[in-house]
Amino acid sequence: IARRRVQRMAAMIAEARREGRPGGSRAVNDTITLPLWMFVVLAVLAAWAALVFLFVPSVRWFLRRRVNAVMRSVGERLQVELPSFKLTRREILIDRLLNDPKVLAAVDAQAAGQGESRPDVVRRVERYAREIVPSFNAYLYFRIGYALARATARLLYRVRIGYFDEEAIRRVDRKSTIVFVMNHRSNMDYVLVAFLAAERAALSYAVGEWARVWPLQQLIRSMGAFFVRRNSGDPLYRAVLARYVQMASEGGVTQAVFPEGGLTVDGKLRPPRFGLVDYMLKTFDEKGARDLVFIPIGLNYDRVLEDRSQLLKLDPDRRRTGRWKALRTTLGFAGANLWLMLTGRWHRFGYACVNFGTPMSMRDYVREHGIHFPALDDAARRTETTEIARRLMVAIGSVVPVLPVSLVASLLVREPARTWSELELKAAAHARMRELETAGAHLYLPRQDHDYAFGVGLRMLTLRRIVVEDDGLFRPSPDELDVLAYYANAIAHLAG
């Protein structure tokens, strides 16, 4: 079309030149008048040509060069191999999922069992696949996402790795599929673990429906996370989700899973929900090319950003908070802390600590117990999966770090009506630390100083008015006993 219009314009110009003078063409400096619409069309076509043939190729070349540089850096740094599955284009993964034999079998079963037309069922499957499948961007993850996660974590907390079974983790085969399983105390867990694990792997999280809002979902999907509908009763959706999780596991994608299925409400560890773990184990073949290795992670915070909002869920008669009210509360909290920053009175929210436990190899486990998961029926597989999930939760609980606030809170919550002197409370804290250390718990002691750890915990509780000081005597605030118990519950499962 553009070529024909240019040829037509050239013919018009030639005709105008012939008409301007009997013997030949117009003078070189004569003016040629074009209709406005033709000028606009030419300008748009010129801009489009410059964009398509000059600007876009240059941007693609620049971005490809940066991405390749990132990938070379990642390949040299990661101890866990970055699999090709994670780098596959999203449309290709969706197409593979739509044409997977097990998904097609689920489509046929749904169409036959529910009386739906097959094209309608296929459209539903495509919608589910597009909802679930991420679009991993290595440059965004390792350059932008990592920088943001590191800055956010360090701004809010003193971030520490307490315990790390480095020798056992180093022995894990580089080609294994790694699954980090962890307790879920805060939405900061996503940021914290992604930041601390970025030197070893690019994590793929299972994210709930709370994150499916624009533009957050685009960002999260680009970071490699996949969306999961909690408590979905649609067997077709579960089939699509299961196949994606299995394909990712078979492809060697490093994943991060919260077996509890959601944030803790009262601070205690919740019973495991093993849906995603069951999907991974269902097709696991110990004779295959990749081992499936679970690494337990324990997290704890001196202050959880969502502590009070989570405790509200314990009240069955509470009115459900609307989105706008929740947004106002969040903005109010952020504004108050920003004001404290500007006035020089702001303090970080204490310590955030992550412990990495001993890996659990499924190849070793099934050989030891004589299990072959693909051969098990559903009932037998669920029994075995339940036992594995129980062991994983025990392993997670054993590496949850004991932090200063949880330590002091665990003492005060025992006798909420008692008034303590600082010396009495310090003596009790030292005794409690000895008990926990004897039981094998992992204490994080700032500066390796027991007295300083006790002082940090007591100061933070006092600053938040969870503990009241009166003439050098300390007692829990009667209105904050539930918050005090929330932090004590973080280590309530530990012996001692």
Side-chain angles (χ1 to χ4, degrees), residues 300-318:
N300 202 0
Y301 303 83
D302 273 334
R303 179 174 181 178
V304 175
L305 301 178
E306 309 92 336
D307 52 8
R308 297 182 192 278
S309 62
Q310 290 300 108
L311 286 168
L312 288 175
K313 297 178 182 179
L314 294 173
D315 182 6
D317 299 324
R318 73 180 181 93

Side-chain angles (χ1 to χ4, degrees), residues 358-370:
T358 303
M360 181 179 179
S361 165
M362 284 297 98
R363 181 174 286 167
D364 294 342
Y365 180 88
V366 298
R367 287 174 178 172
E368 179 183 346
H369 292 81

Side-chain angles (χ1 to χ4, degrees), residues 1-7 9-10 13 34-50:
I1 294 173
R3 186 166 57 251
R4 287 199 299 269
R5 287 179 175 173
V6 170
Q7 290 172 350
M9 184 178 66
I13 293 173
L34 296 177
L36 178 60
W37 67 268
M38 184 176 291
F39 173 77
V40 172
V41 169
L42 289 173
V44 171
L45 290 173
W48 177 80

Side-chain angles (χ1 to χ4, degrees), residues 209-324:
E209 293 181 272
W210 61 269
R212 290 183 57 207
V213 294
W214 187 90
L216 186 61
Q217 69 172 350
Q218 282 76 15
L219 176 63
I220 291 176
R221 184 173 280 130
S222 297
M223 298 293 287
F226 60 97
F227 294 97
V228 175
R229 296 185 185 184
R230 305 293 184 187
N231 303 315
S232 174
D234 185 351
L236 188 62
Y237 173 80
R238 307 304 294 184
V240 177
L241 176 62
R243 280 308 296 151
Y244 172 75
V245 173
Q246 290 161 3
M247 287 165 57
S249 299
E250 292 161 5
V253 175
T254 302
Q255 301 180 60
V257 174
F258 299 102
E260 296 167 286
L263 288 173
T264 177
V265 177
D266 57 4
K268 296 179 180 179
L269 292 177
R270 300 173 65 177
R273 299 175 64 183
F274 47 82
L276 294 179
V277 174
D278 182 51
Y279 294 157
M280 298 174 194
L281 292 173
K282 187 175 183 178
T283 58
F284 172 69
D285 186 355
E286 68 278 8
K287 297 178 182 178
R290 295 183 187 275
D291 190 6
L292 180 64
V293 180
F294 293 102
I295 299 181
I297 295 179
L299 304 100
N300 202 0
Y301 303 83
D302 273 334
R303 179 174 181 178
V304 175
L305 301 178
E306 309 92 336
D307 52 8
R308 297 182 192 278
S309 62
Q310 290 300 108
L311 286 168
L312 288 175
K313 297 178 182 179
L314 294 173
D315 182 6
D317 299 324
R318 73 180 181 93
R319 293 182 60 185
R320 187 176 178 85
T321 304
R323 289 188 177 184
W324 289 111

Side-chain angles (χ1 to χ4, degrees), residues 85-96:
F85 181 92
K86 200 170 186 67
L87 304 176
T88 304
R89 290 180 58 189
R90 182 168 181 259
E91 292 300 324
I92 296 176
L93 295 178
I94 291 174
D95 187 64
R96 285 178 57 185

